[in-house]
Amino acid sequence: MANVKLHGAWASPFSCRVVWALKLKGIPYENIEEDIPNNKSKLLLQYNPVHKKIPVLVHGGKPVCESMIIIEYIDETWPQKPFLPSDPYQRARARFWVKFADDKSFVVRTLLISSGEEQEKAKNESLEFLRTIEEHGLGNKKFFGGEEIGIVDIAFGWMSLWLGVFEEIVGVKLLEAHIFPRLYAWTKNFKEVPVIKQNLPDRHELLLLFKGVREKSLGSSSSS
Amino acid sequence: MANVKLHGAWASPFSCRVVWALKLKGIPYENIEEDIPNNKSKLLLQYNPVHKKIPVLVHGGKPVCESMIIIEYIDETWPQKPFLPSDPYQRARARFWVKFADDKSFVVRTLLISSGEEQEKAKNESLEFLRTIEEHGLGNKKFFGGEEIGIVDIAFGWMSLWLGVFEEIVGVKLLEAHIFPRLYAWTKNFKEVPVIKQNLPDRHELLLLFKGVREKSLGSSSSS
């Protein structure tokens, strides 16, 4: 029995955060693919009774929930190649952007499952989200973590693939190179890191899946 | 010039989290009362350009934003009487409840500024919020942190005063001793800690302020 198990779902950017972290640290683990949202395993419900959500990392039989809390757990348990800086002030700055990613990313998800006025609002909020990161978050660094991937890069990792998939499905362009040059360059840098490149979902599969999500959502909202 | 300054507001539970943390650690600081929401200082806007919100802790001229990130910063900078456990798994569990507090507490705020069906919905969500903490969060411990106040106690600290104030203003009872015995006992334990007792806002002043918030909110929503 593996000492480290991940209950996750291949298409979830939250799951992928944990996959990237484990792979970057070089920690072997067993992947347990959950059938979300309708057929979650009993173990998942037992491990995360409050939210009943993936990802859950199980280490030595003990569950850790919430993707970015898992990342900090991984960083504290296997300190090699740290994801967080050592200086308390720089740690606080990193956590600020992790919280920003977690609190604000939903606007882009809203864009995917909305239409008309609601979609226009979500588009504007998504642009504001990107603008804030472009202006305040990244500076002139290669990664949020500096020369190496850090915790903030992992938190924003979904922008390197899912964002473009959502743009294509909805038919809007958000992350344009001439408007957000730093962020655009970052997505390229992030995807070029071998561990990330090898552990991103297949773009075409992702496109098909989220097309279905959008169609189902718009279909059900127009008939309600 | 003080080395530690707090830009806050006396009635904000987010500000009070930082006050409690500083007082528990015994760190002297200068309090800068901000006139929110309409007359924030230029310094506050400069220190927190992304959210433009209190509290901001300024240490040696450098700003730290977001109340629970400030608490971790304080804990890492002044490690005496730690707020977080030392074991990574227990740290992850503490952070889980801190995130739960930050993600879900807004339902009680919604109760304060809503009426009719929306109020009923917020009431039910608030009860669900309390039930989750009662069933999964506290166990039979005196504090979430065990025998001493920890980071989760600080995160939930608003329930020891603001919750009762909101209940009184709205005219509903949520935290009943026979339904939530553990949580009810915790609010008593929390308020009895001398540092907390001495650093809670005046209940009557709080009542007057939030009565005004409710009246203004309901007035503006019924006329819009």
Side-chain angles (χ1 to χ4, degrees), chain A residues 166-191:
Chain A
F166 288 10
E167 285 177 340
E168 186 174 333
I169 294 171
V170 179
V172 299
K173 191 73 193 149
L174 300 171
L175 186 55
E176 300 209 66
H178 66 285
I179 302 179
F180 304 109
R182 292 168 175 171
L183 213 41
Y184 186 83
W186 172 84
T187 63
K188 301 282 169 204
N189 293 335
F190 186 76
K191 273 189 292 195

PDB file of all heavy atoms in Angstrom, chain A residues 166-191:
ATOM      1  N   PHE A 166     -11.024  27.714 -21.759  1.00  0.00           N
ATOM      2  CA  PHE A 166     -12.282  28.429 -21.487  1.00  0.00           C
ATOM      3  C   PHE A 166     -12.499  29.534 -22.534  1.00  0.00           C
ATOM      4  O   PHE A 166     -13.607  29.717 -23.031  1.00  0.00           O
ATOM      5  CB  PHE A 166     -12.268  29.033 -20.079  1.00  0.00           C
ATOM      6  CG  PHE A 166     -12.383  28.016 -18.957  1.00  0.00           C
ATOM      7  CD1 PHE A 166     -12.292  26.652 -19.190  1.00  0.00           C
ATOM      8  CD2 PHE A 166     -12.595  28.427 -17.644  1.00  0.00           C
ATOM      9  CE1 PHE A 166     -12.391  25.721 -18.167  1.00  0.00           C
ATOM     10  CE2 PHE A 166     -12.698  27.499 -16.600  1.00  0.00           C
ATOM     11  CZ  PHE A 166     -12.596  26.150 -16.868  1.00  0.00           C
ATOM     12  N   GLU A 167     -11.412  30.267 -22.829  1.00  0.00           N
ATOM     13  CA  GLU A 167     -11.510  31.334 -23.852  1.00  0.00           C
ATOM     14  C   GLU A 167     -12.024  30.759 -25.171  1.00  0.00           C
ATOM     15  O   GLU A 167     -12.918  31.333 -25.805  1.00  0.00           O
ATOM     16  CB  GLU A 167     -10.126  31.945 -24.101  1.00  0.00           C
ATOM     17  CG  GLU A 167      -9.610  32.864 -23.019  1.00  0.00           C
ATOM     18  CD  GLU A 167      -8.183  33.369 -23.305  1.00  0.00           C
ATOM     19  OE1 GLU A 167      -7.464  32.732 -24.112  1.00  0.00           O
ATOM     20  OE2 GLU A 167      -7.805  34.377 -22.726  1.00  0.00           O
ATOM     21  N   GLU A 168     -11.457  29.633 -25.571  1.00  0.00           N
ATOM     22  CA  GLU A 168     -11.838  29.032 -26.861  1.00  0.00           C
ATOM     23  C   GLU A 168     -13.303  28.595 -26.853  1.00  0.00           C
ATOM     24  O   GLU A 168     -14.034  28.815 -27.821  1.00  0.00           O
ATOM     25  CB  GLU A 168     -10.913  27.838 -27.161  1.00  0.00           C
ATOM     26  CG  GLU A 168     -11.155  27.272 -28.551  1.00  0.00           C
ATOM     27  CD  GLU A 168     -10.146  26.177 -28.922  1.00  0.00           C
ATOM     28  OE1 GLU A 168      -9.017  26.192 -28.387  1.00  0.00           O
ATOM     29  OE2 GLU A 168     -10.508  25.318 -29.743  1.00  0.00           O
ATOM     30  N   ILE A 169     -13.733  27.987 -25.758  1.00  0.00           N
ATOM     31  CA  ILE A 169     -15.115  27.494 -25.680  1.00  0.00           C
ATOM     32  C   ILE A 169     -16.112  28.656 -25.699  1.00  0.00           C
ATOM     33  O   ILE A 169     -17.113  28.638 -26.397  1.00  0.00           O
ATOM     34  CB  ILE A 169     -15.319  26.636 -24.404  1.00  0.00           C
ATOM     35  CG1 ILE A 169     -14.485  25.345 -24.496  1.00  0.00           C
ATOM     36  CG2 ILE A 169     -16.804  26.312 -24.199  1.00  0.00           C
ATOM     37  CD1 ILE A 169     -14.433  24.540 -23.209  1.00  0.00           C
ATOM     38  N   VAL A 170     -15.798  29.692 -24.910  1.00  0.00           N
ATOM     39  CA  VAL A 170     -16.735  30.821 -24.796  1.00  0.00           C
ATOM     40  C   VAL A 170     -16.636  31.741 -26.017  1.00  0.00           C
ATOM     41  O   VAL A 170     -17.609  32.407 -26.380  1.00  0.00           O
ATOM     42  CB  VAL A 170     -16.468  31.591 -23.477  1.00  0.00           C
ATOM     43  CG1 VAL A 170     -17.399  32.792 -23.326  1.00  0.00           C
ATOM     44  CG2 VAL A 170     -16.631  30.656 -22.270  1.00  0.00           C
ATOM     45  N   GLY A 171     -15.439  31.738 -26.638  1.00  0.00           N
ATOM     46  CA  GLY A 171     -15.261  32.620 -27.801  1.00  0.00           C
ATOM     47  C   GLY A 171     -14.883  34.037 -27.409  1.00  0.00           C
ATOM     48  O   GLY A 171     -15.317  34.999 -28.055  1.00  0.00           O
ATOM     49  N   VAL A 172     -14.115  34.176 -26.348  1.00  0.00           N
ATOM     50  CA  VAL A 172     -13.589  35.491 -25.974  1.00  0.00           C
ATOM     51  C   VAL A 172     -12.078  35.354 -25.775  1.00  0.00           C
ATOM     52  O   VAL A 172     -11.581  34.259 -25.508  1.00  0.00           O
ATOM     53  CB  VAL A 172     -14.210  36.045 -24.666  1.00  0.00           C
ATOM     54  CG1 VAL A 172     -15.711  36.222 -24.796  1.00  0.00           C
ATOM     55  CG2 VAL A 172     -13.873  35.151 -23.474  1.00  0.00           C
ATOM     56  N   LYS A 173     -11.390  36.484 -25.909  1.00  0.00           N
ATOM     57  CA  LYS A 173      -9.944  36.464 -25.682  1.00  0.00           C
ATOM     58  C   LYS A 173      -9.658  37.366 -24.479  1.00  0.00           C
ATOM     59  O   LYS A 173     -10.057  38.525 -24.455  1.00  0.00           O
ATOM     60  CB  LYS A 173      -9.234  36.983 -26.942  1.00  0.00           C
ATOM     61  CG  LYS A 173      -7.745  36.782 -26.945  1.00  0.00           C
ATOM     62  CD  LYS A 173      -7.333  35.335 -27.166  1.00  0.00           C
ATOM     63  CE  LYS A 173      -5.846  35.152 -26.829  1.00  0.00           C
ATOM     64  NZ  LYS A 173      -5.533  33.820 -26.312  1.00  0.00           N
ATOM     65  N   LEU A 174      -8.998  36.813 -23.482  1.00  0.00           N
ATOM     66  CA  LEU A 174      -8.707  37.580 -22.270  1.00  0.00           C
ATOM     67  C   LEU A 174      -7.211  37.878 -22.151  1.00  0.00           C
ATOM     68  O   LEU A 174      -6.802  39.019 -22.065  1.00  0.00           O
ATOM     69  CB  LEU A 174      -9.168  36.799 -21.030  1.00  0.00           C
ATOM     70  CG  LEU A 174     -10.656  36.441 -20.933  1.00  0.00           C
ATOM     71  CD1 LEU A 174     -10.888  35.495 -19.759  1.00  0.00           C
ATOM     72  CD2 LEU A 174     -11.513  37.686 -20.776  1.00  0.00           C
ATOM     73  N   LEU A 175      -6.427  36.814 -22.167  1.00  0.00           N
ATOM     74  CA  LEU A 175      -4.996  36.955 -21.882  1.00  0.00           C
ATOM     75  C   LEU A 175      -4.227  37.272 -23.167  1.00  0.00           C
ATOM     76  O   LEU A 175      -3.558  36.404 -23.742  1.00  0.00           O
ATOM     77  CB  LEU A 175      -4.463  35.674 -21.223  1.00  0.00           C
ATOM     78  CG  LEU A 175      -3.013  35.718 -20.723  1.00  0.00           C
ATOM     79  CD1 LEU A 175      -2.794  36.883 -19.770  1.00  0.00           C
ATOM     80  CD2 LEU A 175      -2.638  34.417 -20.016  1.00  0.00           C
ATOM     81  N   GLU A 176      -4.333  38.532 -23.610  1.00  0.00           N
ATOM     82  CA  GLU A 176      -3.646  38.918 -24.839  1.00  0.00           C
ATOM     83  C   GLU A 176      -2.234  39.421 -24.516  1.00  0.00           C
ATOM     84  O   GLU A 176      -2.048  40.202 -23.566  1.00  0.00           O
ATOM     85  CB  GLU A 176      -4.443  39.992 -25.552  1.00  0.00           C
ATOM     86  CG  GLU A 176      -5.844  39.485 -25.906  1.00  0.00           C
ATOM     87  CD  GLU A 176      -6.424  40.141 -27.132  1.00  0.00           C
ATOM     88  OE1 GLU A 176      -5.860  39.908 -28.225  1.00  0.00           O
ATOM     89  OE2 GLU A 176      -7.414  40.858 -26.996  1.00  0.00           O
ATOM     90  N   ALA A 177      -1.289  38.984 -25.357  1.00  0.00           N
ATOM     91  CA  ALA A 177       0.124  39.260 -25.081  1.00  0.00           C
ATOM     92  C   ALA A 177       0.422  40.759 -24.997  1.00  0.00           C
ATOM     93  O   ALA A 177       1.231  41.190 -24.176  1.00  0.00           O
ATOM     94  CB  ALA A 177       0.998  38.610 -26.152  1.00  0.00           C
ATOM     95  N   HIS A 178      -0.256  41.571 -25.830  1.00  0.00           N
ATOM     96  CA  HIS A 178       0.085  43.006 -25.832  1.00  0.00           C
ATOM     97  C   HIS A 178      -0.567  43.749 -24.657  1.00  0.00           C
ATOM     98  O   HIS A 178      -0.160  44.858 -24.325  1.00  0.00           O
ATOM     99  CB  HIS A 178      -0.289  43.662 -27.170  1.00  0.00           C
ATOM    100  CG  HIS A 178      -1.764  43.700 -27.437  1.00  0.00           C
ATOM    101  ND1 HIS A 178      -2.488  42.585 -27.810  1.00  0.00           N
ATOM    102  CD2 HIS A 178      -2.652  44.716 -27.364  1.00  0.00           C
ATOM    103  CE1 HIS A 178      -3.761  42.922 -27.977  1.00  0.00           C
ATOM    104  NE2 HIS A 178      -3.886  44.198 -27.703  1.00  0.00           N
ATOM    105  N   ILE A 179      -1.575  43.129 -24.038  1.00  0.00           N
ATOM    106  CA  ILE A 179      -2.216  43.784 -22.878  1.00  0.00           C
ATOM    107  C   ILE A 179      -1.603  43.298 -21.566  1.00  0.00           C
ATOM    108  O   ILE A 179      -1.425  44.064 -20.627  1.00  0.00           O
ATOM    109  CB  ILE A 179      -3.745  43.513 -22.884  1.00  0.00           C
ATOM    110  CG1 ILE A 179      -4.345  44.020 -24.205  1.00  0.00           C
ATOM    111  CG2 ILE A 179      -4.428  44.184 -21.694  1.00  0.00           C
ATOM    112  CD1 ILE A 179      -5.827  43.788 -24.352  1.00  0.00           C
ATOM    113  N   PHE A 180      -1.305  42.009 -21.536  1.00  0.00           N
ATOM    114  CA  PHE A 180      -0.748  41.406 -20.308  1.00  0.00           C
ATOM    115  C   PHE A 180       0.588  40.723 -20.636  1.00  0.00           C
ATOM    116  O   PHE A 180       0.697  39.496 -20.551  1.00  0.00           O
ATOM    117  CB  PHE A 180      -1.726  40.380 -19.731  1.00  0.00           C
ATOM    118  CG  PHE A 180      -3.098  40.919 -19.459  1.00  0.00           C
ATOM    119  CD1 PHE A 180      -4.191  40.554 -20.244  1.00  0.00           C
ATOM    120  CD2 PHE A 180      -3.315  41.786 -18.394  1.00  0.00           C
ATOM    121  CE1 PHE A 180      -5.463  41.047 -19.994  1.00  0.00           C
ATOM    122  CE2 PHE A 180      -4.578  42.290 -18.128  1.00  0.00           C
ATOM    123  CZ  PHE A 180      -5.660  41.924 -18.936  1.00  0.00           C
ATOM    124  N   PRO A 181       1.602  41.512 -21.027  1.00  0.00           N
ATOM    125  CA  PRO A 181       2.852  40.884 -21.493  1.00  0.00           C
ATOM    126  C   PRO A 181       3.542  40.018 -20.437  1.00  0.00           C
ATOM    127  O   PRO A 181       4.078  38.957 -20.764  1.00  0.00           O
ATOM    128  CB  PRO A 181       3.734  42.093 -21.879  1.00  0.00           C
ATOM    129  CG  PRO A 181       3.116  43.277 -21.206  1.00  0.00           C
ATOM    130  CD  PRO A 181       1.658  42.986 -21.109  1.00  0.00           C
ATOM    131  N   ARG A 182       3.523  40.454 -19.176  1.00  0.00           N
ATOM    132  CA  ARG A 182       4.218  39.686 -18.130  1.00  0.00           C
ATOM    133  C   ARG A 182       3.522  38.354 -17.882  1.00  0.00           C
ATOM    134  O   ARG A 182       4.150  37.301 -17.799  1.00  0.00           O
ATOM    135  CB  ARG A 182       4.238  40.474 -16.817  1.00  0.00           C
ATOM    136  CG  ARG A 182       5.096  41.720 -16.883  1.00  0.00           C
ATOM    137  CD  ARG A 182       4.829  42.586 -15.674  1.00  0.00           C
ATOM    138  NE  ARG A 182       5.722  43.736 -15.639  1.00  0.00           N
ATOM    139  CZ  ARG A 182       5.598  44.742 -14.795  1.00  0.00           C
ATOM    140  NH1 ARG A 182       4.620  44.755 -13.912  1.00  0.00           N
ATOM    141  NH2 ARG A 182       6.453  45.748 -14.819  1.00  0.00           N
ATOM    142  N   LEU A 183       2.215  38.426 -17.753  1.00  0.00           N
ATOM    143  CA  LEU A 183       1.427  37.237 -17.459  1.00  0.00           C
ATOM    144  C   LEU A 183       1.466  36.260 -18.638  1.00  0.00           C
ATOM    145  O   LEU A 183       1.534  35.035 -18.441  1.00  0.00           O
ATOM    146  CB  LEU A 183      -0.019  37.689 -17.180  1.00  0.00           C
ATOM    147  CG  LEU A 183      -0.842  36.919 -16.173  1.00  0.00           C
ATOM    148  CD1 LEU A 183      -0.047  36.533 -14.963  1.00  0.00           C
ATOM    149  CD2 LEU A 183      -2.058  37.753 -15.770  1.00  0.00           C
ATOM    150  N   TYR A 184       1.431  36.818 -19.833  1.00  0.00           N
ATOM    151  CA  TYR A 184       1.485  35.984 -21.031  1.00  0.00           C
ATOM    152  C   TYR A 184       2.821  35.229 -21.084  1.00  0.00           C
ATOM    153  O   TYR A 184       2.855  34.019 -21.328  1.00  0.00           O
ATOM    154  CB  TYR A 184       1.296  36.856 -22.273  1.00  0.00           C
ATOM    155  CG  TYR A 184       1.190  36.053 -23.555  1.00  0.00           C
ATOM    156  CD1 TYR A 184      -0.034  35.501 -23.929  1.00  0.00           C
ATOM    157  CD2 TYR A 184       2.304  35.833 -24.364  1.00  0.00           C
ATOM    158  CE1 TYR A 184      -0.137  34.743 -25.094  1.00  0.00           C
ATOM    159  CE2 TYR A 184       2.210  35.083 -25.519  1.00  0.00           C
ATOM    160  CZ  TYR A 184       0.986  34.544 -25.879  1.00  0.00           C
ATOM    161  OH  TYR A 184       0.882  33.794 -27.026  1.00  0.00           O
ATOM    162  N   ALA A 185       3.910  35.966 -20.812  1.00  0.00           N
ATOM    163  CA  ALA A 185       5.240  35.331 -20.797  1.00  0.00           C
ATOM    164  C   ALA A 185       5.301  34.265 -19.697  1.00  0.00           C
ATOM    165  O   ALA A 185       5.896  33.203 -19.884  1.00  0.00           O
ATOM    166  CB  ALA A 185       6.319  36.395 -20.572  1.00  0.00           C
ATOM    167  N   TRP A 186       4.665  34.569 -18.575  1.00  0.00           N
ATOM    168  CA  TRP A 186       4.665  33.603 -17.461  1.00  0.00           C
ATOM    169  C   TRP A 186       4.014  32.282 -17.866  1.00  0.00           C
ATOM    170  O   TRP A 186       4.526  31.207 -17.549  1.00  0.00           O
ATOM    171  CB  TRP A 186       3.965  34.185 -16.217  1.00  0.00           C
ATOM    172  CG  TRP A 186       3.783  33.166 -15.145  1.00  0.00           C
ATOM    173  CD1 TRP A 186       4.707  32.794 -14.211  1.00  0.00           C
ATOM    174  CD2 TRP A 186       2.634  32.334 -14.932  1.00  0.00           C
ATOM    175  NE1 TRP A 186       4.208  31.793 -13.426  1.00  0.00           N
ATOM    176  CE2 TRP A 186       2.938  31.486 -13.840  1.00  0.00           C
ATOM    177  CE3 TRP A 186       1.386  32.220 -15.551  1.00  0.00           C
ATOM    178  CZ2 TRP A 186       2.038  30.541 -13.358  1.00  0.00           C
ATOM    179  CZ3 TRP A 186       0.495  31.277 -15.068  1.00  0.00           C
ATOM    180  CH2 TRP A 186       0.820  30.457 -13.996  1.00  0.00           C
ATOM    181  N   THR A 187       2.879  32.346 -18.570  1.00  0.00           N
ATOM    182  CA  THR A 187       2.203  31.095 -18.954  1.00  0.00           C
ATOM    183  C   THR A 187       3.128  30.247 -19.832  1.00  0.00           C
ATOM    184  O   THR A 187       3.144  29.023 -19.705  1.00  0.00           O
ATOM    185  CB  THR A 187       0.867  31.334 -19.715  1.00  0.00           C
ATOM    186  OG1 THR A 187       1.137  32.017 -20.938  1.00  0.00           O
ATOM    187  CG2 THR A 187      -0.124  32.139 -18.887  1.00  0.00           C
ATOM    188  N   LYS A 188       3.890  30.921 -20.692  1.00  0.00           N
ATOM    189  CA  LYS A 188       4.851  30.193 -21.545  1.00  0.00           C
ATOM    190  C   LYS A 188       5.941  29.559 -20.678  1.00  0.00           C
ATOM    191  O   LYS A 188       6.275  28.387 -20.832  1.00  0.00           O
ATOM    192  CB  LYS A 188       5.506  31.142 -22.560  1.00  0.00           C
ATOM    193  CG  LYS A 188       4.525  31.842 -23.485  1.00  0.00           C
ATOM    194  CD  LYS A 188       4.060  30.927 -24.586  1.00  0.00           C
ATOM    195  CE  LYS A 188       2.887  31.537 -25.350  1.00  0.00           C
ATOM    196  NZ  LYS A 188       2.059  30.525 -26.019  1.00  0.00           N
ATOM    197  N   ASN A 189       6.517  30.373 -19.777  1.00  0.00           N
ATOM    198  CA  ASN A 189       7.590  29.876 -18.897  1.00  0.00           C
ATOM    199  C   ASN A 189       7.111  28.688 -18.063  1.00  0.00           C
ATOM    200  O   ASN A 189       7.828  27.705 -17.892  1.00  0.00           O
ATOM    201  CB  ASN A 189       8.068  30.982 -17.942  1.00  0.00           C
ATOM    202  CG  ASN A 189       8.764  32.101 -18.687  1.00  0.00           C
ATOM    203  OD1 ASN A 189       9.301  31.898 -19.769  1.00  0.00           O
ATOM    204  ND2 ASN A 189       8.751  33.301 -18.108  1.00  0.00           N
ATOM    205  N   PHE A 190       5.887  28.817 -17.541  1.00  0.00           N
ATOM    206  CA  PHE A 190       5.357  27.783 -16.651  1.00  0.00           C
ATOM    207  C   PHE A 190       5.206  26.459 -17.397  1.00  0.00           C
ATOM    208  O   PHE A 190       5.633  25.412 -16.923  1.00  0.00           O
ATOM    209  CB  PHE A 190       4.005  28.256 -16.082  1.00  0.00           C
ATOM    210  CG  PHE A 190       3.425  27.337 -15.041  1.00  0.00           C
ATOM    211  CD1 PHE A 190       3.935  27.322 -13.748  1.00  0.00           C
ATOM    212  CD2 PHE A 190       2.360  26.499 -15.333  1.00  0.00           C
ATOM    213  CE1 PHE A 190       3.404  26.487 -12.767  1.00  0.00           C
ATOM    214  CE2 PHE A 190       1.820  25.656 -14.371  1.00  0.00           C
ATOM    215  CZ  PHE A 190       2.345  25.647 -13.091  1.00  0.00           C
ATOM    216  N   LYS A 191       4.635  26.540 -18.579  1.00  0.00           N
ATOM    217  CA  LYS A 191       4.375  25.312 -19.358  1.00  0.00           C
ATOM    218  C   LYS A 191       5.648  24.659 -19.871  1.00  0.00           C
ATOM    219  O   LYS A 191       5.637  23.495 -20.251  1.00  0.00           O
ATOM    220  CB  LYS A 191       3.469  25.641 -20.557  1.00  0.00           C
ATOM    221  CG  LYS A 191       2.001  25.583 -20.225  1.00  0.00           C
ATOM    222  CD  LYS A 191       1.148  25.705 -21.468  1.00  0.00           C
ATOM    223  CE  LYS A 191       1.240  27.069 -22.079  1.00  0.00           C
ATOM    224  NZ  LYS A 191       0.173  27.334 -23.062  1.00  0.00           N
TER     225      LYS A 191
END
